[in-house]
């Protein structure tokens, strides 16, 4: 074995150690860059694109539900969603208020003696419509929400919706009626009831030991205003979000009682939007699909299906409508869905007579077969003149859904915006005042596919640069090593 001077041995050892460090550094940086690169969705849902969907949904709902009244379907939730987006007609508002007053008079202001979510739901709808629930039709609809024992008799669902109702208008809790002898509601009691009903796995449900998607998402919606006010609440919400992340399907959607459906997906989107969590948050991107991708697979011609292979469903449409509205408000810098002190921001919408003509009922499965073609068009035209009406019984969409009741699916006739209304909407979008939106810069991850592309390009450049630096460092030390031998 040839003799190697001590200096040369040291140089070789140093070179080897340095080369190993360079390689380790390059690998580490590369992995970090890959890890922090956002997992973008397959489709880019910009604010403008969401606006188009919302307008079509608003148009569809008001052209088919022409007599809205008190009720969880075709009434209170629909009016709330329309009002919070703003594309709602005076006719829809006046008809709903007239029918609700008539119903209150018929029941002497007693909406229910067991389900106090009925009062909460109406309070939310009236607040969205800029009506005073403390004196509507001669009745104070907030008063029943002061009866804590009656609220929680319905379970955690009652506490959740009572809290949302009281907070949506920042209402003071009134005194209960004189005949009531139970505990009086406070916000602290409602919050603690929700926290005490959290399951061991971190989410919520109306029963059992396992968390349910809907109830977990709705509980987060109620606790969102208090997220930064108390560590216990923050921890509970974070645990709930972790549960939802684990429950998300590979296509971005969610299920309830092991059934993948539109409403569960809508409730999660609502929760994320209220919490101001981006849909591109890595916790809620599965197989490059976000919750928006999961929800929009149920969309068809202005409405939504309950199941992927189902037909148009009104309850699914209403929940998807206010979920998309919550998302729209979130990325537009507006108040949250249930922060209703900002009132209605009306958008002009005109329902024409021709919109009431019957159209073909398209299933979500049929819609998915033509998704690629439809996404290339901003507006589509209904080429079908045949009509089809069918009614079928739906299985209960999880007793833990936002409405918490069984609904019979009613297939609705569909339509697409008339040319007149398309032009009207486009004109309105172009001339919309900048009072709310001027100066608002949407997050790059929520804007467009081009931004996603740029991010990936820059990541690639960074990786190549790091590798180049490493190679250059190795080359330099090799040259030095050779010189030292000479």
């Amino acid at each position: 074995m040839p003799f190697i001077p001590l200096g040369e041995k040291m140089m070789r050892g140093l070179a080897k150690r340095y080369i190993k460090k360079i390689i380790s550094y390059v690998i580490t940086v590369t992995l970090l860059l890959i890890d922090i690169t956002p997992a973008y969705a397959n489709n880019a849902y910009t604010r403008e694109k969401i606006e188009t969907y919302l307008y079509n949904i608003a148009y569809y709902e008001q052209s088919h539900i022409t007599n809205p009244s008190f009720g969880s379907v075709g009434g209170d939730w629909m009016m709330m969603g329309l009002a919070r987006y703003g594309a709602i007609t005076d006719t829809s508002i006046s008809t709903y208020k007239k029918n609700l007053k008539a119903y209150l008079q018929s029941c002497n202001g007693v909406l229910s003696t067991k389900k106090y979510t009925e009062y909460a739901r109406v309070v939310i709808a009236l607040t969205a419509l800029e009506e005073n629930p403390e004196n509507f039709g001669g009745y104070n609809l907030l008063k029943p929400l002061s009866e804590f024992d009656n609220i929680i008799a319905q379970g955690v669902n009652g506490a959740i919706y009572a809290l949302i109702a009281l907070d949506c208008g920042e209402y003071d809790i009134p005194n209960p009626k004189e005949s009531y002898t139970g505990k009086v509601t406070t916000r602290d009691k409602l919050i603690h009831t929700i926290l005490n009903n959290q399951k061991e796995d971190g989410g919520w449900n109306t029963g059992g030991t396992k968390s349910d998607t809907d109830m977990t998402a709705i509980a987060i919606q109620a606790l969102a205003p208090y997220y930064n006010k108390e560590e216990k609440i923050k921890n509970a919400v974070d645990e709930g979000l972790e549960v939802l992340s684990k429950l998300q399907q590979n296509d971005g959607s969610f299920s309830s009682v092991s059934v993948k459906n539109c409403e569960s997906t809508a409730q999660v989107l609502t929760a994320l939007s209220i919490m101001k969590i981006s849909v591109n948050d890595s916790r809620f991107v599965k197989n490059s699909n976000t919750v928006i991708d999961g929800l929009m697979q149920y969309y068809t011609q202005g409405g939504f299906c309950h199941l992927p292979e189902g037909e148009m469903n009104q309850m699914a449409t209403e929940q998807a409508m206010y979920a998309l509205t919550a998302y729209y408000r979130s990325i537009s810098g507006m108040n949250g869905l249930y922060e209703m002190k900002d009132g209605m921001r009306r958008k002009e919408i005109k329902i024409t007579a021709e919109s009431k003509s019957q159209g073909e009922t398209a299933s979500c499965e049929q819609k998915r077969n033509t998704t690629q073609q439809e996404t290339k068009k901003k507006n589509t035209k209904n080429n079908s003149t045949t009509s089809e009406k069918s009614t079928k019984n739906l299985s209960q969409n999880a007793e833990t859904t936002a409405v918490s009741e069984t609904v019979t699916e009613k297939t609705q006739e569909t339509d697409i915006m008339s040319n007149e209304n398309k032009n009207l909407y486009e004109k309105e979008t172009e001339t919309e005042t900048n009072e709310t939106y001027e100066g608002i810069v949407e997050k790059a991850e929520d804007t467009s596919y081009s931004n996603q592309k740029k991010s990936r390009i820059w990541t690639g450049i960074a990786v190549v640069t790091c590798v180049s630096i490493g190679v250059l460092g190795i080359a330099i030390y090799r040259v030095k090593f050779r010189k030292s031998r000479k």
Side-chain angles (χ1 to χ4, degrees):
M1 182 176 177
F3 173 76
I4 300 174
L6 181 62
E8 186 173 333
K9 282 184 178 180
M10 290 178 63
M11 284 298 294
R12 283 187 179 183
L14 286 170
K16 286 180 180 179
R17 284 200 297 272
Y18 192 77
I19 289 170
K20 287 180 180 178
K21 285 183 179 180
I22 291 174
I23 293 172
S24 299
Y25 172 75
V26 170
I27 292 172
T28 302
V29 172
T30 302
L31 290 174
L32 283 172
L33 286 168
I34 292 171
D35 186 59
I36 64 173
T37 302
Y40 288 107
N42 295 320
N43 298 303
Y45 291 97
T46 62
R47 183 166 70 87
E48 290 72 22
K49 191 171 183 179
I50 294 298
E51 275 191 298
T52 302
Y53 281 122
L54 285 169
Y55 188 93
N56 281 324
I57 299 166
Y59 191 87
Y60 166 81
E61 287 194 314
Q62 292 173 95
S63 63
H64 290 82
I65 306 298
T66 58
N67 194 37
S69 184
F70 165 75
S72 59
V73 179
D76 311 317
W77 288 122
M78 184 184 86
M79 298 304 292
M80 187 277 286
L82 291 170
R84 292 306 282 158
Y85 175 56
I88 185 170
T89 66
D90 290 335
T91 300
S92 293
I93 295 172
S94 60
T95 302
Y96 170 75
K97 291 194 295 187
K98 180 189 71 175
N99 289 337
L100 179 57
K101 286 178 180 178
Y103 186 85
L104 286 168
Q105 291 173 359
S106 70
C107 64
N108 196 27
V110 180
L111 297 178
S112 177
T113 57
K114 295 181 179 180
K115 294 174 60 180
Y116 275 52
T117 50
E118 304 283 86
Y119 295 100
R121 190 181 65 237
V122 171
V123 167
I124 294 169
L126 289 176
T127 306
L129 293 169
E130 299 180 340
E131 289 291 331
N132 182 11
E134 295 174 287
N135 184 16
F136 184 80
Y139 300 98
N140 185 347
L141 299 173
L142 283 174
K143 189 173 279 290
L145 297 181
S146 65
E147 302 171 10
F148 181 70
D149 291 344
N150 291 329
I151 289 172
I152 63 172
Q154 194 177 343
V156 67
N157 199 38
I160 288 171
Y161 279 107
L163 186 60
I164 292 174
L166 291 169
D167 285 347
C168 73
E170 299 177 11
Y171 296 114
D172 293 329
I173 300 173
N175 294 322
K177 59 187 178 183
E178 292 182 2
S179 60
Y180 176 72
T181 58
K183 295 178 182 177
V184 178
T185 301
T186 66
R187 282 177 167 81
D188 283 342
K189 287 178 183 176
L190 294 174
I191 291 170
H192 289 147
T193 298
I194 298 171
L195 295 180
N196 291 337
N197 277 274
Q198 189 171 20
K199 302 298 179 183
E200 288 187 9
D201 62 3
W204 282 265
N205 204 338
T206 54
T209 58
K210 298 292 184 181
S211 296
D212 174 74
T213 299
D214 298 68
M215 287 309 304
T216 300
I218 299 166
I220 290 172
Q221 294 168 30
L223 294 174
Y226 305 91
Y227 181 74
N228 292 314
K229 294 183 180 180
E230 191 176 331
E231 191 67 21
K232 187 177 180 180
I233 298 173
K234 183 180 185 298
N235 292 337
V237 170
D238 287 341
E239 289 174 7
L241 290 169
E242 184 63 28
V243 168
L244 292 179
S245 175
K246 293 177 181 178
L247 291 173
Q248 189 175 26
Q249 306 292 310
N250 284 335
D251 61 2
S253 69
F254 288 81
S255 64
S256 182
V257 197
S258 301
V259 178
K260 190 170 71 172
N261 65 88
C262 173
E263 293 91 320
S264 297
T265 309
Q267 291 302 332
V268 174
L269 177 58
T270 303
L272 296 183
S273 300
I274 290 174
M275 287 292 297
K276 301 284 194 264
I277 297 174
S278 168
V279 294
N280 286 323
D281 187 297
S282 60
R283 292 172 295 176
F284 296 97
V285 179
K286 303 296 188 295
N287 195 28
S288 297
N289 292 309
T290 71
V291 64
I292 287 278
D293 295 302
L295 181 64
M296 295 312 296
Q297 67 179 293
Y298 298 93
Y299 177 80
T300 175
Q301 300 183 5
F304 284 79
C305 309
H306 166 57
L307 301 173
E309 67 278 6
E311 295 176 339
M312 198 87 76
N313 175 267
Q314 185 58 34
M315 185 171 79
T317 300
E318 291 174 12
Q319 292 193 33
M321 169 69 179
Y322 69 68
L324 286 174
T325 296
Y327 174 66
Y328 170 77
R329 297 181 72 87
S330 175
I331 64 175
S332 299
M334 302 170 73
N335 279 16
L337 182 70
Y338 294 126
E339 297 175 272
M340 298 181 180
K341 280 292 187 179
D342 58 346
M344 282 191 288
R345 179 181 169 84
R346 299 289 294 275
K347 299 175 182 291
E348 189 173 3
I349 183 169
K350 182 179 179 183
I351 309 299
T352 61
E354 73 174 74
S355 69
K356 298 186 174 69
S357 64
Q358 296 179 352
E360 180 181 11
T361 300
S363 69
C364 287
E365 190 172 17
Q366 292 170 330
K367 182 268 300 184
R368 284 196 299 275
N369 293 332
T370 58
T371 297
Q372 279 191 331
Q373 295 177 354
E374 290 180 356
T375 53
K376 293 178 182 178
K377 303 176 184 179
K378 185 177 180 180
N379 297 296
T380 58
K381 186 175 181 181
N382 190 0
N383 295 318
S384 189
T385 56
T386 59
S387 65
E388 171 184 304
K389 289 185 180 180
S390 63
T391 305
K392 67 178 182 180
N393 293 328
L394 281 176
S395 61
Q396 189 175 12
N397 180 28
E399 42 182 53
T400 56
T401 61
V403 185
S404 198
E405 42 182 274
T406 303
V407 177
T408 300
E409 181 178 6
K410 297 181 179 179
T411 303
Q412 304 290 341
E413 305 90 347
T414 68
D415 70 276
I416 296 299
M417 233 192 293
S418 65
N419 288 330
E420 176 185 353
N421 279 276
K422 283 188 283 188
N423 294 334
L424 176 64
Y425 177 60
E426 289 169 358
K427 181 179 179 182
E428 179 211 345
T429 302
E430 292 172 359
T431 59
E432 189 178 42
T433 61
N434 292 324
E435 294 175 10
T436 304
Y437 305 121
E438 188 173 9
I440 294 174
V441 180
E442 296 178 24
K443 294 180 181 178
E445 58 191 13
D446 285 327
T447 54
S448 66
Y449 179 72
S450 62
N451 287 343
Q452 302 169 12
K453 201 172 177 182
K454 287 177 184 177
S455 177
R456 288 171 178 168
I457 290 171
W458 280 112
T459 301
I461 292 172
V463 171
V464 171
T465 302
C466 288
V467 172
S468 300
I469 291 171
V471 172
L472 182 61
I474 293 170
I476 290 171
Y477 269 80
R478 278 183 176 175
V479 171
K480 287 184 176 181
F481 176 71
R482 286 171 182 171
K483 285 183 178 181
S484 67
R485 291 185 65 181
K486 292 179 181 179

